[in-house]
Amino acid sequence: MRQLFVLDPIEQINPSKDSSAALMQAAHRAEIEVWACTPSDLQARGDKAWVVASKVFPLPWINIEEPTSKPLIDFSCIWMRKDPPVDEAFLYATHLLEVAERDGVLVLNKPSSLRAWNEKLGALRFSKLMAPTLVASRVTELAAFARKQGEVVLKPLGGKGGQGVVRIAKEAPGLEALLELITYQETLPVMMQSFLPEVVEGDKRILLVNGEPLGAINRRPKKGDFRSNLALGGKPEATLLSSKEEEICKELAPQLKGQGLFFVGIDVIGGMLSEINVTSPTGIREIETLMGIPLADQVIDRLLLELN
């Protein structure tokens, strides 16, 4: 059995922190051939999808064979793990992967769902589980929402890892000017949400596999910041799911499974859904270290059940 990982250049991966590295190593332990490529290595020859990929030996990290050209139907499963942004190159890669999908190759996550589930906007399918939220470009409406809520968080729709997320109080001077800047003079929508003060206690990352939560960590913001993303200095902590968080997972599960979103990371603050991360969810290494769960191996075990 072969599995292909489509990701950023493998030389840039830190194996002690990266979830893709964890998954590749778990696949290797399961005696699966591991191959890797970048999105730019994908091709279509007529009605068939091909790739220029390298066989990878991820234990110990990492030995890579010379790249070779192969049809994608040679792989039983393809992991699309390219980090955001979901730009033009990313979108074209999903279309090429759909060529392989039509030939019966399992692609995780499903290419059409990667396009449809923006990591901010996707959560709006479950808006009743979220803090009050507005997505808009018009400054007057955004400013009115901010003043009604008292304190808000602004999120760029294409951001990742907490980058560009801003906290604003309703009395902030120059609110309209800031909104003009962030919306590029009302040409680009942004997400505005009511600020949840519970974030000082942490933002919980929950990893779901085929709709089932397999592990979680709490991410506590560093001193002087409200953003808890690990990439911005957030501190991971061991945690368990509350009954409310279990209910959120249960409500999400049917849609995630139905949309082919096999491996997903959701963020929950104070019992409220914040984001649904579908492109390249992180957190495996932290969960394995803090919770003593062999999470990557469990993910691969679940995948093998799907393939069989």
Side-chain angles (χ1 to χ4, degrees), residues 30 35 52 75 84 96 100 106 108 152 182 191 201 236 251 253 288 296 299 304 307:
W35 291 68
V52 178
F75 298 94
L96 289 169
L106 178 64
L108 305 173
V152 295
I182 292 175
M191 174 176 279
E201 300 300 325
E251 182 146 353
E288 289 181 334
V299 173
L304 292 177
L307 291 169

Side-chain angles (χ1 to χ4, degrees), residues 50 67-68 82 90 96-97 125 141 144 146 149 170-171 190 192 204 210 217 230 251 258-259 264 273 278 280 295 299:
W50 285 68
T68 185
K82 170 71 175 67
F90 187 103
L96 289 169
L97 290 171
R125 292 167 169 81
E141 295 180 15
Q149 298 301 321
K170 65 178 180 180
E171 66 275 7
V190 296
M192 182 179 279
K204 196 167 290 190
N210 214 18
I217 51 166
L230 299 181
E251 182 146 353
Q259 295 289 318
V264 171
L273 179 66
V278 303
S280 55
L295 186 59
V299 173

